[in-house]
Amino acid sequence: MKAHDGMYIGGQWRPAATTDTIAVVNPADEQVIAHVPAGTAEDVDAAVRAARAAFPAWAATPPAERAARLTALRDELARRQDLIAETVTAELGAPPALARAVHTGMPLLVAGSYAELAADYAFEESIGNSTVLMEPVGVVAAITPWNYPLHQVVAKVAPALAAGCTVVLKPAEDTPLTAQLFAEAVHDAGVPAGVFNLVTGLGPVAGQALAAHEDVDLVSFTGSTAVGKRIGATAGAAIKRVALELGGKSANVVLPGADLAKAVNVGIANVMSNSGQTCSAWTRMLVHKDHYDEAVALAVAAVAKYVPGDRVGPLVNAEQRRRVRGYIEKGIAEGARLVAGGPDAPLETGYYVSPTVFADVTPGMTIAQEEIFGPVVCLMKYEDEDDALALANGTVYGLAGAVWAGDEAQAVAFARRMDTGQVDINGGRFNPLAPFGGYKQSGVGRELGPHGLAEYLQTKSLQF
Ligand code: NAD
């Protein structure tokens, strides 16, 4: 596939500081499809300088003009829809239908939402004898993971630009080609030079240099909890703003009286989508003891429809496949009942894992507590609502969740008691304007919609 051999800095593609490269691999056939430059601290410094130089003028640009550039960005992304979907399929392994509907469709929606918000947002408010100005925080470091290569980028860059911040993006090493396409779209949208900059590279090298750069004002990171803790510590020591979107172990709570078949089918689909590589996936299904055996049978039937290589893509790389298989083996070793799938490779080539369902998972098991990030669902049995709540809240995470009940008010009452940032009631639809982010160790800060925009603003109060 086509790849740039430089960094996008100060409005142009510039040679990288070294000739080191990163190979991009198609996880479906394990073939190298491109190489991108492996950025160093030197590249990061050049990008941060460009972002700093561009900041005063962009911050002073009227919101209506920033909105116009974001509308143009949305249109440039839309013009590239086919190429974006093909690129996500090539570097992430997402099945074409998913690549188009979710990996391309969702970022278009989010970019469009920030074009509107930039125009409509109240960047000023009156409180008593004060006028409060919402001003951009400054230079933003955006560090993104590979699981939704374009969405993760747009969910940071679009609100940052809407707020008047300038950005340096360090995308995941597995999916840099989609990020390069995004940079092309930014360029063609007429966003001024230096407002957006891209440095590809390894996390511990380019990512770390960016997170630690003294001229960065805010670090927005999405990825693993382990790296997030380090970035939070670095930012804290430098008194820098930080937003962290980390892992999850979300509960799908099926209350008695719910439409069991629907709850189980949607629950399985939720985890199988993107091969389970979704931080908000409902990876624990909690079912009342009276309906439990039926739910297990329904889950086994539902998961059979997810055929690897067809509806389910591979995992992103060999290391992720090794990790996920390790969790499946651990589940078996710790006494969970394997009712579908297992650790064996379903296909000879590609980093595929069999869609897997465990029954009789208990809270002390590793697979009940740790994020697996693969197509693995854990069914857990509960006695009553309090027991279900204790299970739902019984991990270090709190990113998302679902509640199903015959009576919506009962589902809402349960959702209010959950320690988590998002809850879908009886299959409620994804809302690109609703704040997304975690309680507990799932993170700090919120993305999407007006709450996501507010992350990139700081207040100044004028008294009269
Ligand atoms: P990761 O933490 O290894 O990598 C994420 C990003 O951080 C990449 O760009 C990587 O290059 C960079 N990075 C790695 N080490 C770094 C360091 N020392 N300093 C600075 N940057 C560094 O995570 P991953 O393996 O790419 O993604 C999978 C994990 O991300 C899962 O645990 C998943 O739950 C989490 N995730 C969370 C969300 C969310 O919104 N909450 C979304 C997607 C993924």
Side-chain angles (χ1 to χ4, degrees), residues 97-108:
L98 183 80
R100 181 161 258 287
V102 176
H103 289 288
T104 310
M106 187 163 60
L108 279 175

Side-chain angles (χ1 to χ4, degrees), residues 86-437:
E86 281 164 28
T87 305
V88 172
T89 294
E91 62 183 357
L92 178 67
L98 183 80
R100 181 161 258 287
V102 176
H103 289 288
T104 310
M106 187 163 60
L108 279 175
L109 223 87
V110 173
S113 76
Y114 279 113
E116 283 177 23
L117 272 166
D120 300 343
Y121 196 83
F123 288 99
E124 241 181 81
E125 68 173 332
S126 291
I127 301 181
N129 65 315
S130 301
T131 296
V132 181
L133 311 178
M134 302 336 149
E135 299 189 331
V137 168
V139 173
V140 170
I143 301 177
T144 55
W146 42 261
N147 63 342
Y148 289 89
L150 185 58
H151 169 72
Q152 304 284 13
V153 168
V154 170
K156 297 188 189 308
V157 177
L161 265 47
C165 292
T166 57
V167 179
V168 178
L169 168 68
K170 206 303 281 174
E173 35 277 70
D174 290 290
T175 55
L177 302 179
T178 309
Q180 290 191 340
L181 280 180
F182 177 79
E184 287 179 10
V186 170
H187 187 85
D188 291 350
V191 172
V195 169
F196 169 80
N197 308 274
L198 170 70
V199 175
T200 52
L202 298 173
V205 183
Q208 195 154 317
L210 181 57
H213 198 292
E214 60 181 18
D215 209 20
V216 163
D217 299 297
L218 182 154
V219 184
S220 179
F221 169 83
T222 298
S224 61
T225 301
V227 175
K229 281 181 180 169
R230 292 184 55 173
I231 288 182
T234 306
I239 326 281
K240 252 178 220 171
R241 294 268 293 268
V242 66
L244 305 170
E245 297 286 347
L246 309 175
K249 191 74 190 172
S250 297
N252 180 17
V253 184
V254 188
L255 295 177
D259 180 339
L260 187 66
K262 189 173 176 199
V264 172
N265 277 295
V266 175
I268 294 287
N270 174 285
V271 180
M272 293 306 136
S273 178
N274 214 35
S275 313
Q277 302 168 122
T278 304
C279 45
S280 55
W282 309 332
T283 49
R284 297 178 300 141
M285 192 184 294
L286 277 46
V287 183
H288 188 269
K289 61 179 189 309
D290 292 347
H291 306 290
Y292 185 76
D293 292 340
E294 194 186 344
V296 172
L298 285 165
V300 170
V303 85
K305 289 182 259 165
Y306 293 88
V307 178
D310 177 22
R311 273 176 89 177
V312 183
L315 298 190
V316 70
N317 57 37
E319 169 58 17
Q320 284 296 119
R321 180 182 57 180
R322 187 195 63 72
R323 277 192 61 227
V324 173
R325 281 179 166 173
Y327 276 117
I328 296 173
E329 279 160 2
K330 203 152 198 176
I332 296 169
E334 291 182 2
R337 179 160 58 98
L338 183 71
V339 291
D344 296 339
L347 294 170
E348 270 176 26
T349 312
Y351 307 126
Y352 291 92
V353 170
S354 292
T356 295
V357 178
F358 278 109
D360 304 348
V361 175
T362 54
M365 292 178 185
T366 307
I367 57 169
Q369 294 296 330
E370 295 185 14
E371 182 176 58
I372 298 175
F373 232 54
V376 182
V377 182
C378 295
L379 269 93
M380 305 176 81
K381 190 189 294 184
Y382 68 82
E383 299 281 324
D384 55 28
E385 274 200 27
D386 284 344
D387 187 27
L389 188 74
L391 288 175
N393 289 342
T395 77
V396 296
Y397 294 114
L399 188 56
V403 184
W404 303 80
D407 171 21
E408 193 174 281
Q410 187 194 2
V412 171
F414 190 94
R416 283 181 181 279
R417 299 163 76 198
M418 291 171 79
D419 300 332
T420 193
Q422 283 218 345
V423 185
D424 295 348
I425 307 292
N426 283 337
R429 274 179 306 122
F430 173 72
N431 175 0
L433 291 173
F436 180 91

